[in-house]
Each structure stands twice: as structure tokens, then as C-alpha cells.
Amino acid sequence: MGIGQKLTKPFYDLFVLIWDTNIAVVNLILPQLEPGHVVPADAPGHGGKWPEYVPPRDGDSRSACPMLNALANHGVLPHDGKNITFRELNTVVRQSFNFAPSFCFFVPKFAADFLGRSYWSDKFDLADLSKHNAIEHDASLTRHDVAQAPDQGVPDQELVDELLNRATGKASDGTPLLTKRDLSLQLSKRRVEAKQSNSAYTESLFHNMFGSANSSTMLTIFGGRVNDLRPMLSEERFSGDWEPRVLSRFGLTMAAFNFTVLPVERGVDTKALEVQG
């Protein structure tokens, strides 16, 4: 991050905080979106109708984030995952997943900053977002650590199955749901395992919170539904007729998101597992 970016960052952060809080309040007042109309009518995925899924080809760029990879696999982002503008990412993520505008500005802006690029004018490849200890971090729920698995664009099926098989909740139709407790337990297990197996393992409060935030999208955007999460995490594709589970008029704010993220992180208990081990 350049000197100019460092000087302006506090102002951007304050602006986003105020913006996000205002959106959260408005979401409490206005009626929710109707199911089937969460993705805008002029955007890919409206009514659950996503463009055709095409697995990544040799030379395509993919990240450590299954949701972004799915957007590329369906051609909502460029299929090769290259030369994407940060502003394009903002728009596509907002329309596809119903994150609030404040959220969709903050995360791409954060990504641009840690890559040393301009949010307003520069481009990136999806693989760039896997820069270690920025958004990508050790003890992921769907990838082994970069020291053991350098290609973070590919999910680890064993880890995905282990996560989804942990689901203890049930939807109204009887299908399995991941819960906050399930995520906390799996995050605890992954942090202990990664620390034991990876001599280069690093951990900080920031990375732990980011890990819980990444995981919590499974509970918010996907409603914890294992039947939707399995194709997303395994093949990085949308299940048939899928749409975001967040129905807030202006999308999921960071303020609302924290009501899921903080309990998930508070539920992580690595010490108990270390004692058992």
C-alpha cells in the first residue's frame, strides 16, 4: 500500500462504516425482496437461471474463494478469471449474492490495497487474490495451507466432505443444514491440525476473524443448506435454481453479517482439542 493509500484509508473506512450502518437501518424498515427476485432482472442468475457451468480449463485463473470461482465457471465473471476490474467485481458480487453496496465496495477496495493497485483503474486475475495472509489464510475449511497446497484455486474434496458431513441442523424439508456451532467446531479442528502439520503456520486475530467471516457466508448467503453448498464447494458451481438466501432489500451489510461472524468465532475452542490430542 502506497503512502497516499495509507493516508486516505481511515477516511474510506469511516465512510464505509457510516454507509453500511445507514443501509442496515434502511433494511430494517423496508420490505424484504420476494424469493425468485433477489438477483436483479437484468443480471445473470435472475430467478435461479445461471449461465451454463463450464469447469476451468488449463491456464484459467482461479482463487481461494469458491464463490468467485463459481462466477467465473458460469461466465458471470470472465471464464479465464483474468483482467477483471475491481469495480466490475463490486457490481457482479452485489448482484449475484445480494451483499450490500458498502460490503461490495469495502472488500474489493481491501483487495486492491493489499495488491498495491488502484481500485478505480486497475485489474487483477482471480489467482492474485490468493496472496498468502491477505484474504487467503492458513486453516481454511476447503483448502489445505498454501505451504502444502500451492494451488489455492482448487478445493480439497476431503476437507469439503468433512465440513459438510458435520452438519447437525435440519431445514423444514428435512435436508441438512450447517449451523454456527458446526462451523465453530470445524474451524477449531482445522486450526489445530494446520498448526500441527504446517511448520510455516501463521495465525492472528485478523486472519481468524477473516476465516470465520469467509465461513459465515455459508450460513448467510447459502442459509447453511448442504444441498446447495456441496456443488458450490466441490465443483464451484451453482445448484439448480439457486439464489441468495439473504432477502434484505439492499443486501447483507457488514453490521448484520457480524451477528453471524462473531458467534462463530467465539465458539472456536482450539485449546480443548489440543488437550484431547
Side-chain angles (χ1 to χ4, degrees):
M1 187 185 298
I3 295 177
Q5 290 175 313
K6 290 181 179 179
L7 291 175
T8 57
K9 186 178 185 302
F11 297 100
Y12 276 118
D13 291 348
L14 179 61
F15 166 74
V16 172
L17 177 62
I18 295 171
W19 185 19
D20 188 76
T21 301
N22 287 335
I23 295 173
V25 172
V26 172
N27 276 340
L28 294 175
I29 299 170
L30 295 182
Q32 293 190 323
L33 297 167
E34 292 292 330
H37 298 274
V38 179
V39 177
D42 59 347
H46 174 69
K49 307 303 180 186
W50 295 94
E52 180 184 2
Y53 168 79
V54 179
R57 305 182 180 96
D58 289 344
D60 286 346
S61 184
R62 294 295 183 266
S63 73
C65 175
M67 293 166 66
L68 295 185
N69 293 346
L71 291 174
N73 290 339
H74 283 273
V76 183
L77 287 173
H79 189 272
D80 66 1
K82 299 178 180 180
N83 295 312
I84 302 166
T85 70
F86 294 98
R87 298 173 75 175
E88 177 185 8
L89 182 66
N90 177 330
T91 300
V92 169
V93 168
R94 178 164 47 84
Q95 292 179 337
S96 300
F97 297 116
N98 199 27
F99 283 103
S102 50
F103 211 139
C104 292
F105 170 77
F106 179 79
V107 176
K109 178 68 168 59
F110 174 80
D113 288 348
F114 76 67
L115 291 174
R117 301 177 194 176
S118 168
Y119 167 86
W120 305 104
S121 59
D122 285 340
K123 298 180 179 181
F124 67 97
D125 296 347
L126 286 178
D128 295 339
L129 301 181
S130 294
K131 180 179 178 181
H132 187 49
N133 278 345
I135 291 176
E136 184 277 331
H137 53 84
D138 287 336
S140 163
L141 293 183
T142 64
R143 271 97 167 139
H144 284 292
D145 296 351
V146 68
Q148 302 153 314
D151 186 358
Q152 290 289 296
V154 179
D156 185 280
Q157 191 60 49
E158 184 177 352
L159 288 179
V160 171
D161 288 341
E162 184 178 294
L163 167 66
L164 298 181
N165 290 341
R166 188 181 280 281
T168 60
K170 294 288 183 183
S172 57
D173 61 1
T175 56
L177 293 178
L178 279 174
T179 68
K180 293 175 185 176
R181 179 62 176 160
D182 297 334
L183 285 186
S184 295
L185 289 172
Q186 189 62 13
L187 283 167
S188 301
K189 184 173 184 291
R190 285 291 298 127
R191 290 177 191 176
V192 170
E193 289 176 342
K195 187 175 183 179
Q196 292 173 344
S197 62
N198 177 11
S199 61
Y201 179 76
T202 57
E203 183 178 330
S204 68
L205 176 61
F206 172 79
H207 294 135
N208 287 346
M209 290 301 299
F210 223 108
S212 290
N214 290 340
S215 305
S216 292
T217 59
M218 292 186 271
L219 303 182
T220 52
I221 303 300
F222 288 86
R225 294 174 181 268
V226 171
N227 289 351
D228 292 332
L229 287 167
R230 195 171 296 280
M232 172 56 62
L233 300 181
S234 299
E235 302 173 67
E236 300 184 329
R237 67 173 176 84
F238 298 110
S239 60
D241 299 326
W242 182 84
E243 70 173 4
R245 298 287 175 176
V246 173
L247 301 180
S248 300
R249 176 67 54 170
F250 288 104
L252 180 66
T253 61
M254 290 180 283
F257 192 44
N258 282 333
F259 284 100
T260 300
V261 176
L262 294 177
V264 167
E265 181 58 31
R266 281 199 300 266
V268 173
D269 186 0
T270 58
K271 292 182 179 179
L273 291 178
E274 288 169 348
V275 169
Q276 292 175 11

